[in-house]
Amino acid sequence: MKVTDYADNFIKNYENFKSYWNYEDGCVLTGCMRMYEATGNIKYRDFVFDYLFPLIAEDGTILNFDNDKYSIDSFNSGKILFYAYEQTGDDKYRLAIEYLWERLCRYPRTADGNFIHKSIYPGQVWLDGLYMAQPFYAAYEKKFGKGSYDDILKQFRNVRERMFIQEKGLYCHGYDTALVQPWADRKSGLSSSFWLRAIGWYMMALADVIDIIDDASEPCTIVLTDIFTEAVEGIIKYADKDTGLFYQVVDMGDDVRNYTETSGSLMIAYALMKGASVGVLPFSEYSEKGRKILEKVTEEKLTATDNGLSLTDICCSAGLGPGIERDGSAGYYLSEKIVSDDPKGAGVLMMAYAQSLMNQKQSMGRSR
């Protein structure tokens, strides 16, 4: 199978993306965890433990965690620790969860209560950050906390109230509570354009938190379901008519500079299939929509090279500021470097493919 061939080669040759605990590695780890759950192939589980084992001390200290700066990105890889603890029962993974939880509890917030994006971006909230921290937060509350999701709900609500543009049906990338950043609107604090991967991170966050809570009667689930289905209805109408994929700048498909971006399209595919799986979207319709997006990515973006398969058309990186850098305009997002085989694409490819396999099994069970 094309995706498994790619995934196997990718993890075989993978080197940690950064020397410190980082979210990019977390995408690959999560992808491998999902692939193991979907296929039972032990090589994916082995990859996770081979990565984690040398980085987690017996007392739970994450040896390469950067304690000199606050970054919400630092919590994405923490989600895999719950899986490691459940698989092994090794107390060092539970202690590592507590190590991160203690840091999340004292993590800086905006005046309206959301986690800031990074210490170099004080007072700012980006969509990306919801994916980095909220699933970890929800998993901790469910397994070790008091089972209260009020703070999680508040942070999603703040983002919905501030960043959703009703007439577009889309979310802006970020907002600045101080209204001082060059990229921020002086009245709303919002950035000006609609970047696909930011929306993708956000939709995956919603789907994953709903799945983690796993309680349709929980008030947080009820509200997040409404927010999620609204976001789904908003993004779907911007799919490219020929491929079903989504554009780097979502609402500017006719711009000759624009392109269908791989990582964000895969995130939408994953979110649709996950939403169908957990019952907040009509199963048959949205499982199939997500599968078709995944299929088109594998047809158009997973290409043969002299060195094997390569996953193409991934936006290398995008952000807002600091200062006059990265101004949040459409032109800025379209100027960012396009790369292949970035972990933000490869990891989510594994997540989406694994979810498609799990949905197939779920569909077979429903038909019996």
Side-chain angles (χ1 to χ4, degrees):
M1 180 65 189
K2 202 172 183 182
V3 174
T4 54
D5 289 345
Y6 175 79
D8 292 352
N9 191 59
F10 183 83
I11 63 173
K12 179 182 177 182
N13 297 291
Y14 190 72
E15 297 181 1
N16 294 8
F17 194 72
K18 295 169 182 171
S19 61
Y20 56 87
W21 188 256
N22 65 88
Y23 81 92
E24 293 93 344
D25 287 350
C27 292
V28 178
L29 293 168
T30 301
C32 286
M33 176 188 72
R34 301 297 185 201
M35 288 290 283
Y36 175 67
E37 291 175 336
T39 69
N41 193 320
I42 201 166
K43 74 175 70 175
Y44 300 113
R45 188 182 68 177
D46 287 347
F47 177 89
V48 172
F49 288 113
D50 287 346
Y51 178 95
L52 288 178
F53 190 80
L55 298 180
I56 311 298
E58 290 302 314
D59 65 357
T61 301
I62 299 174
L63 299 174
N64 65 339
F65 192 87
D66 189 345
N67 285 293
D68 294 331
K69 64 181 179 182
Y70 286 100
S71 172
I72 205 67
D73 293 343
S74 300
F75 297 93
N76 183 47
S77 293
K79 293 178 289 188
I80 205 70
L81 295 169
F82 292 93
Y83 168 77
Y85 182 53
E86 289 164 5
Q87 284 281 308
T88 66
D90 191 332
D91 206 44
K92 78 173 187 176
Y93 295 118
R94 182 190 64 80
L95 293 171
I97 293 168
E98 296 290 350
Y99 179 91
L100 283 179
W101 174 250
E102 189 244 337
R103 281 153 180 78
L104 188 66
C105 287
R106 52 186 171 84
Y107 191 85
R109 297 182 183 237
T110 61
D112 55 357
N114 278 61
F115 298 130
I116 67 167
H117 195 66
K118 293 182 181 180
S119 55
I120 61 170
Y121 303 118
Q124 298 174 40
V125 174
W126 299 4
L127 290 181
D128 324 20
L130 278 295
Y131 180 76
M132 303 303 163
Q134 300 303 329
F136 175 85
Y137 194 164
Y140 186 89
E141 280 292 349
K142 183 170 184 177
K143 192 166 185 68
F144 301 115
K146 298 178 180 178
S148 173
Y149 307 105
D150 293 348
D151 185 34
I152 293 170
L153 177 56
K154 178 182 178 181
Q155 295 192 50
F156 276 107
R157 271 180 158 159
N158 285 344
V159 167
R160 166 57 182 83
E161 291 170 5
R162 282 183 172 266
M163 299 172 69
F164 185 69
I165 307 302
Q166 192 79 47
E167 58 269 28
K168 287 282 190 177
L170 297 171
Y171 281 80
C172 295
H173 186 178
Y175 72 90
D176 171 32
T177 58
L179 309 179
V180 297
Q181 293 301 316
W183 53 261
D185 181 85
R186 287 296 171 265
K187 291 184 179 179
S188 67
L190 293 175
S191 58
S192 61
S193 299
F194 305 103
W195 179 39
L196 175 61
R197 192 157 70 222
I199 295 172
W201 289 126
Y202 181 65
M203 289 181 62
M204 290 202 303
L206 286 161
D208 283 353
V209 170
I210 291 168
D211 183 35
I212 290 164
I213 295 174
D214 191 27
D215 181 355
S217 65
E218 162 63 44
C220 183
T221 300
I222 294 169
V223 177
L224 293 189
T225 296
D226 289 342
I227 293 173
F228 177 65
T229 54
E230 178 185 60
V232 168
E233 291 169 2
I235 192 73
I236 284 294
K237 62 187 178 185
Y238 293 98
D240 176 67
K241 292 181 175 56
D242 294 326
T243 65
L245 304 183
F246 296 87
Y247 286 92
Q248 165 77 342
V249 178
V250 177
D251 62 332
M252 294 178 61
D254 293 335
D255 193 305
V256 295
R257 301 169 297 171
N258 216 347
Y259 63 99
T260 52
E261 198 276 334
T262 297
S263 65
S265 294
L266 286 168
M267 289 174 179
I268 303 303
Y270 170 84
L272 297 183
M273 289 187 284
K274 173 67 81 171
S277 176
V278 300
V280 297
L281 296 174
F283 183 85
S284 296
E285 178 184 358
Y286 282 92
S287 189
E288 182 65 7
K289 282 182 185 292
R291 187 197 65 78
K292 285 183 175 179
I293 296 168
L294 170 64
E295 184 178 74
K296 189 57 70 171
V297 167
T298 62
E299 287 177 5
E300 296 207 347
K301 309 295 188 179
L302 200 53
T303 61
T305 72
D306 292 340
N307 298 316
L309 293 169
S310 182
L311 188 64
T312 63
D313 287 343
I314 303 169
C315 174
C316 181
S317 179
L320 298 165
I324 62 173
E325 300 175 23
R326 307 193 298 179
D327 65 4
S329 66
Y332 157 66
Y333 291 112
L334 296 174
S335 73
E336 280 288 11
K337 185 178 180 182
I338 302 170
V339 298
S340 299
D341 305 315
D342 186 283
K344 298 183 287 294
V348 182
L349 175 63
M350 289 190 280
M351 292 182 219
Y353 178 68
Q355 191 63 51
S356 75
L357 295 179
M358 289 188 276
N359 280 28
Q360 287 175 27
K361 294 176 184 177
Q362 190 173 347
S363 179
M364 292 173 63
R366 291 162 64 96
S367 64
R368 289 175 182 167

